[in-house]
Amino acid sequence: KRFETLFPEKRPFFLENAGFFKTPLPLFFSRRIVEPDAGVRLTGRQEQFAVGGLILNDASDLKTGKAHIGLFRGQVDLGNSGNLGLLLSNRQQGGQTNSVAGMDARITPLPNWIVTGQFARSQAGNKIANNDHLAYLEAIYGSRAFTYTGKYTNIGRHFDASLGFIPRTNIKQNEQQANYTWFAAPTDWFLTQEIKATLIHTDKQRDEFQD
């Protein structure tokens, strides 16, 4: 099976304060904007609040007209326990539109635990409108010897984030990974021993087995 390859951004305009627009599953990937001809970007922080905005045109495909792009990102820090974020995006080109609205959160409910969640809805279409969902949950536990990561991803068949990097849709995926490390005594000839277990299971939305 082949999926898109992620190439990192290199353009300074998009690199500065790029963290303002990051979400657990990337709903905004700046390389989707191929040939910007005019635009403005605003990012700022005041106490526990952070805000980012982007408005520009993409002139990479003039046969259907310039693509008009708007993006808003807001985030509030929840003390030392995490943060809560909101992202809104819109892309219009010719008679086609794509809009995405999403919320995400990162909390530390217990010592050594980090929980991240995200939910989004997309609406896309020209003559026929399609809308669908994206849901993501991740739990991480870490100590000196033992680490655990659990992820659950649920992306609808018609979910479309034209400004994001979501290489695979129509999935329900469960990923589990555990790692344990034994540390040797200072006089031993080896430093550590490690055992790792990984499980990834993917179905389609209708519970058809994939991999």
XYZ file of all heavy atoms in Angstrom, residues 12-62:
402
model
N 10.988 30.185 4.932
C 11.028 30.950 6.186
C 9.678 31.535 6.589
O 9.375 31.613 7.785
C 12.050 32.058 5.897
C 12.924 31.496 4.823
C 12.031 30.643 3.979
N 8.865 31.956 5.623
C 7.571 32.565 5.949
C 6.718 31.617 6.771
O 5.989 32.030 7.670
C 6.842 32.953 4.664
C 5.468 33.523 4.889
C 5.295 34.868 5.210
C 4.347 32.719 4.792
C 4.026 35.387 5.424
C 3.072 33.230 4.995
C 2.910 34.567 5.321
N 6.790 30.318 6.468
C 5.972 29.336 7.164
C 6.674 28.737 8.379
O 6.019 28.178 9.264
C 5.559 28.217 6.210
C 4.663 28.671 5.098
C 5.142 28.794 3.805
C 3.340 28.996 5.339
C 4.320 29.214 2.773
C 2.506 29.418 4.318
C 3.004 29.532 3.030
N 8.000 28.834 8.440
C 8.735 28.215 9.539
C 8.640 29.019 10.833
O 8.608 28.455 11.922
C 10.209 28.037 9.148
C 10.507 26.910 8.159
C 11.981 26.905 7.808
C 10.091 25.561 8.719
N 8.605 30.351 10.723
C 8.591 31.185 11.922
C 7.305 30.952 12.720
O 6.194 31.072 12.207
C 8.705 32.660 11.540
C 8.845 33.577 12.742
C 9.006 35.031 12.328
O 9.068 35.297 11.116
O 9.076 35.891 13.221
N 7.478 30.596 14.001
C 6.344 30.319 14.899
C 5.398 29.264 14.321
O 4.188 29.325 14.517
C 5.563 31.600 15.202
C 6.353 32.578 16.043
O 7.217 32.177 16.823
N 6.091 33.853 15.885
N 5.952 28.283 13.629
C 5.121 27.244 13.021
C 4.368 26.425 14.064
O 3.325 25.833 13.773
C 5.991 26.330 12.164
N 4.885 26.385 15.289
C 4.234 25.619 16.340
C 2.850 26.111 16.700
O 2.063 25.370 17.301
N 2.516 27.357 16.354
C 1.190 27.897 16.651
C 0.095 27.081 15.960
O -1.034 27.023 16.449
C 1.087 29.360 16.210
C 1.574 30.332 17.234
C 2.925 30.588 17.373
C 0.691 30.989 18.068
C 3.389 31.486 18.314
C 1.142 31.900 19.017
C 2.496 32.147 19.136
N 0.402 26.476 14.818
C -0.620 25.827 14.005
C -0.568 24.298 14.087
O -1.246 23.620 13.335
C -0.477 26.266 12.542
C -0.554 27.747 12.348
C 0.594 28.486 12.090
C -1.756 28.417 12.448
C 0.536 29.863 11.914
C -1.828 29.789 12.280
C -0.683 30.517 12.012
N 0.217 23.752 15.002
C 0.349 22.308 15.100
C -0.813 21.698 15.883
O -1.261 22.246 16.886
C 1.677 21.935 15.780
C 2.896 22.131 14.895
C 4.156 21.624 15.569
C 5.376 21.751 14.659
N 6.610 21.264 15.316
N -1.288 20.560 15.400
C -2.307 19.778 16.082
C -1.832 18.326 16.123
O -0.929 17.940 15.369
C -3.662 19.868 15.357
O -3.486 19.462 13.991
C -4.202 21.293 15.386
N -2.397 17.486 17.005
C -1.918 16.094 17.111
C -1.875 15.368 15.775
O -0.855 14.777 15.418
C -2.928 15.468 18.075
C -3.382 16.601 18.936
C -3.414 17.803 18.036
N -2.972 15.367 15.028
C -2.952 14.964 13.627
C -2.996 16.239 12.809
O -3.898 17.059 12.985
C -4.146 14.067 13.293
C -4.198 12.709 13.986
C -5.400 11.908 13.516
C -2.918 11.912 13.773
N -2.008 16.464 11.924
C -1.831 17.791 11.309
C -2.962 18.182 10.371
O -3.038 17.712 9.229
C -0.499 17.664 10.571
C -0.313 16.203 10.359
C -0.968 15.507 11.504
N -3.825 19.082 10.835
C -4.890 19.625 9.997
C -4.409 20.790 9.141
O -5.134 21.258 8.268
C -6.070 20.075 10.863
C -6.742 18.962 11.668
C -7.858 19.527 12.517
C -7.256 17.858 10.759
N -3.188 21.271 9.420
C -2.570 22.284 8.557
C -1.144 21.865 8.268
O -0.339 21.641 9.179
C -2.574 23.663 9.208
C -1.829 24.694 8.400
C -2.303 25.095 7.161
C -0.648 25.251 8.867
C -1.606 26.020 6.389
C 0.047 26.189 8.114
C -0.432 26.573 6.872
N -0.851 21.735 6.979
C 0.495 21.398 6.502
C 0.847 22.419 5.439
O 0.249 22.440 4.358
C 0.511 19.976 5.942
C 1.837 19.546 5.393
C 3.006 19.736 6.110
C 1.925 18.941 4.146
C 4.231 19.342 5.608
C 3.144 18.532 3.632
C 4.301 18.738 4.373
N 1.806 23.291 5.744
C 2.036 24.474 4.919
C 2.491 24.146 3.504
O 2.323 24.968 2.587
C 3.056 25.394 5.593
O 4.273 24.708 5.845
N 3.040 22.966 3.268
C 3.453 22.631 1.901
C 2.266 22.408 0.973
O 2.440 22.315 -0.247
C 4.358 21.402 1.907
C 5.748 21.675 2.468
C 6.630 20.450 2.371
N 6.942 20.122 0.994
C 8.045 20.514 0.350
N 8.920 21.288 0.961
N 8.266 20.152 -0.882
N 1.051 22.345 1.521
C -0.137 22.306 0.669
C -0.306 23.627 -0.092
O -0.972 23.672 -1.120
C -1.377 22.062 1.523
C -1.406 20.733 2.231
C -1.548 19.594 1.257
N -1.814 18.339 1.940
C -1.440 17.155 1.500
N -0.768 17.054 0.362
N -1.732 16.065 2.174
N 0.278 24.693 0.439
C 0.254 25.991 -0.244
C 1.484 26.037 -1.144
O 2.609 26.232 -0.686
C 0.259 27.143 0.777
C -0.908 26.986 1.744
C 0.202 28.486 0.072
C -0.876 27.921 2.913
N 1.284 25.855 -2.434
C 2.404 25.608 -3.345
C 3.059 26.898 -3.803
O 4.278 27.045 -3.772
C 1.923 24.783 -4.555
C 3.078 24.527 -5.521
C 1.316 23.468 -4.089
N 2.253 27.861 -4.241
C 2.799 29.085 -4.840
C 2.036 30.306 -4.331
O 1.207 30.872 -5.043
C 2.714 29.005 -6.369
C 3.476 30.109 -7.082
C 3.396 29.944 -8.590
O 3.100 28.839 -9.066
O 3.642 30.946 -9.286
N 2.296 30.724 -3.106
C 1.587 31.893 -2.573
C 2.051 33.172 -3.256
O 3.249 33.399 -3.424
C 1.969 31.885 -1.087
C 3.274 31.174 -1.035
C 3.246 30.155 -2.140
N 1.086 34.008 -3.679
C 1.462 35.261 -4.326
C 1.237 36.467 -3.426
O 1.852 37.514 -3.622
C 0.730 35.432 -5.660
C -0.767 35.595 -5.473
O -1.266 35.325 -4.358
O -1.450 36.000 -6.437
N 0.355 36.343 -2.437
C 0.131 37.438 -1.493
C -0.524 36.860 -0.248
O -1.352 35.954 -0.337
C -0.767 38.511 -2.109
N -0.145 37.386 0.899
C -0.742 36.877 2.125
C -0.220 37.594 3.343
O 0.735 38.370 3.285
N -0.859 37.325 4.472
C -0.453 37.907 5.744
C -0.633 36.862 6.825
O -1.548 36.029 6.769
C -1.288 39.173 6.058
C -2.774 38.831 6.168
C -0.790 39.841 7.347
N 0.259 36.873 7.790
C 0.195 35.932 8.897
C 0.369 36.686 10.202
O 1.172 37.623 10.298
C 1.283 34.868 8.769
C 1.127 33.737 9.770
C 2.254 32.741 9.652
N 3.523 33.329 10.049
C 4.612 32.620 10.363
N 4.571 31.314 10.297
N 5.724 33.218 10.711
N -0.365 36.266 11.235
C -0.306 36.910 12.537
C -0.229 35.841 13.614
O -1.031 34.898 13.624
C -1.543 37.784 12.767
C -1.700 38.401 14.167
C -0.604 39.438 14.394
C -3.080 39.018 14.330
N 0.735 35.942 14.507
C 0.839 35.045 15.651
C 1.174 35.876 16.888
O 1.906 36.869 16.795
C 1.933 33.971 15.451
O 3.195 34.618 15.181
C 1.587 33.048 14.311
N 0.652 35.467 18.026
C 0.922 36.205 19.247
C 0.501 35.430 20.476
O -0.279 34.477 20.404
N 1.027 35.844 21.617
C 0.716 35.206 22.889
C 0.535 36.269 23.969
O 1.319 37.228 24.048
C 1.814 34.222 23.292
C 1.639 33.604 24.672
C 2.717 32.595 24.976
N 2.549 31.385 24.176
C 1.765 30.364 24.533
N 1.058 30.428 25.664
N 1.674 29.306 23.778
N -0.488 36.107 24.796
C -0.752 36.993 25.914
C -1.133 36.123 27.118
O -2.184 35.493 27.118
C -1.885 37.970 25.586
C -2.252 38.933 26.713
C -1.131 39.922 27.017
O -0.426 40.354 26.099
N -0.953 40.264 28.283
N -0.224 36.089 28.105
C -0.396 35.241 29.282
C -0.622 33.790 28.849
O 0.201 33.234 28.146
C -1.533 35.788 30.154
C -1.242 37.170 30.706
C -2.369 37.714 31.551
O -3.479 37.140 31.543
O -2.129 38.721 32.243
N -1.776 33.181 29.192
C -1.993 31.771 28.845
C -2.654 31.574 27.493
O -2.933 30.436 27.095
C -2.835 31.069 29.926
C -4.317 31.438 29.927
C -4.633 32.617 30.815
O -3.821 33.527 30.959
N -5.803 32.588 31.431
N -2.893 32.653 26.754
C -3.590 32.564 25.473
C -2.607 32.725 24.309
O -1.721 33.585 24.345
C -4.680 33.631 25.369
C -5.743 33.510 26.427
C -5.698 34.310 27.560
C -6.766 32.596 26.281
C -6.659 34.199 28.545
C -7.745 32.480 27.255
C -7.698 33.279 28.387
N -2.800 31.898 23.271
C -2.000 31.992 22.047
C -2.951 32.002 20.856
O -3.930 31.251 20.829
C -1.024 30.835 21.936
N -2.652 32.869 19.873
C -3.518 33.021 18.711
C -2.654 33.084 17.463
O -1.589 33.708 17.451
C -4.384 34.300 18.813
C -5.182 34.497 17.539
C -5.328 34.219 20.004
N -3.116 32.428 16.402
C -2.437 32.490 15.119
C -3.445 32.578 13.990
O -4.513 31.957 14.052
N -3.137 33.359 12.970
C -4.026 33.499 11.825
C -3.247 33.607 10.537
O -2.098 34.065 10.518
N -3.849 33.171 9.444
C -3.192 33.175 8.148
C -4.236 33.400 7.060
O -5.268 32.731 7.042
C -2.487 31.834 7.920
C -1.778 31.603 6.585
C -0.533 32.462 6.499
C -1.420 30.134 6.430
N -3.981 34.372 6.186
C -4.837 34.627 5.027
C -3.918 34.823 3.819
O -3.011 35.661 3.867
C -5.714 35.878 5.217
C -6.658 35.706 6.413
C -6.536 36.158 3.953
C -7.464 36.960 6.721
N -4.128 34.063 2.743
C -3.300 34.228 1.548
C -3.963 33.575 0.341
O -4.976 32.889 0.449
C -1.887 33.676 1.756
C -1.690 32.251 2.259
C -1.932 31.232 1.182
C -0.264 32.095 2.782
N -3.343 33.806 -0.820
C -3.770 33.211 -2.079
C -2.705 32.241 -2.565
O -1.506 32.474 -2.377
C -3.989 34.281 -3.154
C -5.142 35.199 -2.827
O -6.134 34.774 -2.230
N -5.020 36.457 -3.209
N -3.141 31.177 -3.214
C -2.233 30.216 -3.821
C -2.485 30.224 -5.328
O -3.576 29.890 -5.783
C -2.480 28.819 -3.244
C -1.452 27.806 -3.723
O -0.626 28.153 -4.590
O -1.470 26.668 -3.220
N -1.461 30.614 -6.088
C -1.611 30.776 -7.536
C -1.001 29.620 -8.307
O -0.574 29.777 -9.454
C -0.960 32.091 -7.979
N -0.945 28.430 -7.713
C -0.276 27.301 -8.363
C -1.090 26.699 -9.506
O -0.534 26.065 -10.386
C 0.022 26.213 -7.323
O -1.174 25.760 -6.715
N -2.419 26.887 -9.486
C -3.267 26.318 -10.534
C -4.226 27.396 -11.029
O -5.340 27.535 -10.535
C -4.043 25.115 -9.987
C -4.850 24.423 -11.072
O -4.721 24.815 -12.255
O -5.619 23.502 -10.745
N -3.774 28.146 -12.014
C -4.565 29.276 -12.493
C -5.677 28.855 -13.456
O -6.517 29.680 -13.818
C -3.647 30.296 -13.181
C -2.625 30.976 -12.255
C -1.753 31.947 -13.046
C -3.321 31.699 -11.115
